[in-house]
Amino acid sequence: MAEHPHAALVRKGYEAFQRGDMDTLRSLMTGDCTHHVPGSHPLSGDYKGIDAVLGDYYGRLAAETGGSFRVELLHVFVDGRGHAMTVHRFTADRGDRHIDENGGIVFRIVGDKISDLDECVEDMDRADAFWS
């Protein structure tokens, strides 16, 4: 059975993210997409627009971790109505700190592009401590 197109889209996004391929990510997202980052640390908040998502957030993830930020996609779930949900594991080093955490993202898909990403983490306090 073929993979649902929304699952394939999200999987392609994770693969591009891992490679640092911002051009492919740009092609998968709407121009006005928003990435919502939970927590109360300096990277928390809403990144509105493709340039903010790719540059201000994803660029900062790489910069703050010296390029060590990695994410492993574990599961993709779809509802067939424009939503996909992932479960992933992420790791990173920042100074003398290390994080190895489960997380996920709820994606909203309009047409064949990602329009909204709501990020979730397993342990908010641990994420806040790592990024603060």
Side-chain angles (χ1 to χ4, degrees):
M1 194 164 166
E3 184 173 46
H4 190 279
H6 293 163
L9 174 70
V10 167
R11 191 175 307 283
K12 186 175 180 179
Y14 270 82
E15 291 166 359
F17 181 89
Q18 273 304 106
R19 292 190 313 271
D21 183 351
M22 296 301 122
D23 290 334
T24 295
L25 283 172
R26 184 176 295 278
S27 75
L28 302 177
M29 297 178 176
T30 62
D32 63 348
C33 69
T34 302
H35 191 131
H36 308 276
V37 180
S40 57
H41 54 78
L43 277 71
S44 297
D46 297 327
Y47 294 85
K48 298 177 183 179
I50 190 77
D51 292 331
V53 171
L54 298 181
D56 298 342
Y57 182 47
Y58 297 173
R60 192 159 176 206
L61 285 175
E64 293 280 335
T65 64
S68 70
F69 190 91
R70 295 286 177 259
V71 63
E72 176 189 3
L73 180 60
L74 302 174
H75 303 286
V76 181
F77 307 101
V78 296
D79 69 357
R81 296 177 292 120
H83 300 93
M85 180 180 77
T86 62
V87 176
H88 60 246
R89 184 145 198 95
F90 65 96
T91 60
D93 296 302
R94 188 168 180 256
D96 62 350
R97 296 178 225 165
H98 177 76
I99 193 164
D100 186 342
E101 184 83 15
N102 290 316
I105 300 176
V106 176
F107 294 83
R108 284 166 194 79
I109 300 165
V110 176
D112 60 352
K113 295 202 180 228
I114 297 165
S115 66
D116 199 75
L117 303 91
D118 280 314
E119 189 174 325
C120 300
V121 294
E122 181 177 44
D123 186 326
M124 187 70 65
D125 291 337
R126 188 176 353 196
D128 282 342
F130 177 78
W131 293 111
S132 295

